[in-house]
Amino acid sequence: MTKVDVAPCGETGGAAHSLKSFGRRKGRTLSLRQSTLLAEGLQNRSIDVSQPLDAPALKRLFPESVRDIWLEIGFGGGEHLVWQIANNPRVGVIGAEPYLNGVVSAMDALVTRELTERVRVYADDVLALLRVLPPECLSRAFMLFPDPWPKKRHRERRLFSAHLLDKLAPLLRPGAEFRFASDIDDYAEVAIEAARAHPAFDIARVFTTENRDTMPDWPVTRYEEKARKQGRGATFLVLQRAVEPKV
Ligand SMILES: C[S@@+](CC[C@H](N)C(=O)[O-])C[C@H]1O[C@@H](n2cnc3c(N)ncnc32)[C@H](O)[C@@H]1O
C-alpha cells in the first residue's frame, strides 16, 4: 500500500485562513445553571492547544475503551455529535465549536445522557486545534453546514477550503472519511472542486436530500432541518483521505 505524501500547508495553493469563519461567540445570556455547565464542561473536557499533543497524550484524554477518534468541526448545538457518541461506543469525539451557547447545549445533552466521558471540546477556532493534533490520529471528521457566508465579499471566510484540506489531511488516517454538507449550492460546488483538486482526498460519494436515507448513520442536524423548512435541500459529500496518490 503506497501512502500519500500529504503536502505541507500551502502546497496545494490553499490560502492561509486569517479571516474568522464564525460570527458571534455568545448568544442569549446564559443562566447560572448553563454557566456552571459550561465552566465545568470546559474545565474537565477541553483540549489544551498551547502545545502539540503527541499520539499517547491524545489517547490518554479518552477512556481505554476508545478505539477511534473522530472530529466534528462546528458542531453547533451538538445534536449530531451526541448522536454519534451514543451510537458508536468505541469512538471518542473531539468537537470544535466557538459558539458558547452551542457548547452549552451539547454539554447539557451529554451530561443528561451520561455521555461526557468520550467527548473532548475545543471551544474556539478549529484551525488552532488542527495545528496541535498528531499525524493520522483521526479516523473520521465532519463539517456539517458550515456558515455559508453568502455575500461575495465574505466568501473568503468560508471554512471549507483548500487550506482547510491541507491542514486536515495529515491528521486523517489513510482511508478515513471526511463528511461535509451544505445547503448552499455554490458552496457545495466549490467544496467538490477543492476536494477533486486536492492530492490527499478522493471523493467517495456525493448525494442530495432526495437520497439522504441511504446514509442511516448520518442524522439530520439542526441547520439541515432549518434549511428544509425554508425549502432548501442539501448536498452531502463523503471524502476519503487518499491511500494511493492521485494521478
Ligand atoms: C451554520 S452552523 C451549523 C451547526 C451544525 N453543524 C448544524 O448543522 O446544525 C456552523 C457552525 O460552525 C461553527 N464554526 C464556524 N467557524 C468555525 C471554526 N473556525 N471552528 C469551529 N467551528 C466553527 C459556527 O460557530 C457554527 O456553530
Side-chain angles (χ1 to χ4, degrees):
M1 186 165 74
T2 321
K3 278 195 176 184
V4 176
D5 279 334
V6 175
C9 169
E11 253 184 45
T12 63
H17 207 290
S18 55
L19 292 168
K20 268 198 318 180
S21 58
F22 48 92
R24 59 193 181 150
R25 292 202 60 203
K26 277 190 187 162
R28 208 175 301 148
T29 308
L30 301 179
S31 66
L32 181 60
R33 180 181 157 277
Q34 288 175 318
S35 303
T36 308
L37 252 178
L38 181 65
E40 284 177 359
L42 293 184
Q43 191 180 356
N44 301 325
R45 306 267 151 239
S46 65
I47 290 206
D48 175 14
V49 300
S50 62
Q51 51 191 358
L53 268 172
D54 61 17
L58 180 63
K59 198 169 165 16
R60 278 198 300 276
L61 294 178
F62 292 95
E64 278 204 1
S65 59
V66 164
R67 292 281 166 271
D68 288 301
I69 299 175
W70 296 356
L71 169 69
E72 182 162 350
I73 300 170
F75 59 74
E79 297 83 4
H80 174 272
L81 185 153
V82 173
W83 189 97
Q84 293 294 358
I85 275 287
N87 286 278
N88 294 284
R90 295 295 202 128
V91 166
V93 177
I94 304 173
E97 175 52 67
Y99 184 56
L100 297 179
N101 298 63
V103 176
V104 171
S105 299
M107 290 288 182
D108 201 356
L110 290 165
V111 168
T112 305
R113 298 181 62 179
E114 299 184 2
L115 291 170
T116 52
E117 284 302 307
R118 287 178 290 116
V119 177
R120 286 292 177 278
V121 172
Y122 182 59
D124 211 326
D125 190 334
V126 71
L127 293 172
L129 176 68
L130 298 184
R131 279 197 282 272
V132 302
L133 291 176
E136 297 185 4
C137 64
L138 302 172
S139 36
R140 190 167 289 185
F142 307 89
M143 188 195 291
L144 308 176
F145 301 89
D147 293 288
W149 296 109
K151 291 185 183 153
K152 266 215 166 97
R153 67 176 192 277
H154 289 151
R155 292 279 158 85
E156 284 190 21
R157 292 186 183 275
R158 286 181 171 177
L159 188 54
F160 189 103
S161 63
H163 175 67
L164 188 279
L165 293 178
D166 285 346
K167 294 295 192 183
L168 184 60
L171 308 181
L172 289 169
R173 291 187 189 154
E177 278 186 8
F178 176 30
R179 296 182 177 187
F180 169 89
S182 179
D183 56 317
I184 306 298
D185 289 346
D186 77 88
Y187 201 166
E189 281 160 23
V190 168
I192 291 170
E193 272 320 300
R196 195 168 280 145
H198 201 284
F201 286 95
D202 294 317
I203 300 178
R205 272 199 76 186
V206 180
F207 60 100
T208 60
T209 302
E210 281 75 56
N211 38 15
R212 198 194 181 304
D213 53 3
T214 55
M215 294 290 279
D217 68 341
W218 192 328
V220 174
T221 71
R222 193 186 293 193
Y223 266 79
E224 181 180 352
E225 190 57 40
K226 195 172 152 187
R228 270 192 199 183
K229 284 188 180 145
Q230 292 171 356
R232 285 193 310 282
T235 303
F236 301 82
L237 310 187
V238 181
L239 308 184
Q240 215 161 22
R241 162 79 155 78
V243 176
E244 302 288 339
K246 270 170 44 172
V247 281

